[in-house]
Amino acid sequence: MRVDGTYDRILEPRSPRRLPLGEGTWHQLARAYVRVQLISQGAVFALVLVAAVAVQALTGFAWLWIPAGVILLVTAIGLVITPRQARSFGYQLRRDDLVFRRGILWQRVVAVPYGRMQLVDITHGPLDRGFGIAQLKLVTAAASTGVTIPGLTQEAAENLRDTLVAVAETRRTGL
């Protein structure tokens, strides 16, 4: 882990058929992102468990555990893979575009040209604010190339927003 609270490297799949990460500096998510995700998913897990127990106690329907069990299983899997998933996120500022990468099994690498950006938006919920993180959303004309970078420190999100706006101003395109 770096001093700024981010991961020190992007995990790269070992398969020879993987998508290459390329050269340059990859910026990472804040480690607080994992804590926020674990708290959110843990709350869903606890809420579903309590609701299932309460409904069964009141009604006596045992079949209720089938949908509740599916939800609990999916949430438990999410709790287990969240730390590894967070390490696969990263972004890189290149000369003409911003490249965003996420995913281990289902990889997605998106290059968003600076000239195509229409809006840079920073959002954060109450839990995010409590942990000092935000998400930065890049909106483009094409819906498929829009990128949301979750789990940035507030400072990193503001710096990235300012950098992207400055680049767009110098090129007189986009924003």
Side-chain angles (χ1 to χ4, degrees), residues 42-134:
V44 168
F45 187 90
L47 185 64
V48 169
L49 185 62
V50 167
V53 168
V55 170
Q56 184 179 5
L58 293 175
T59 64
F61 293 133
W63 61 267
L64 176 72
W65 284 102
I66 295 172
V70 169
I71 294 170
L72 292 173
L73 178 66
V74 169
T75 306
I77 291 170
L79 284 166
V80 170
I81 66 171
T82 292
R84 179 159 170 85
Q85 178 189 31
R87 289 190 307 266
S88 72
F89 282 79
Y91 68 93
Q92 181 182 47
L93 297 170
R94 299 192 307 186
R95 184 173 172 267
D96 296 321
D97 55 15
L98 177 135
V99 178
F100 174 72
R101 182 202 190 269
R102 70 179 176 106
I104 299 293
L105 294 177
W106 288 273
Q107 299 174 12
R108 180 176 185 210
V109 178
V110 179
V112 182
Y114 296 129
R116 299 285 183 194
M117 292 181 198
Q118 294 181 338
L119 174 71
V120 180
D121 183 26
I122 296 175
T123 60
H124 38 77
L127 197 54
D128 294 337
R129 282 192 302 273
F131 283 88
I133 62 173

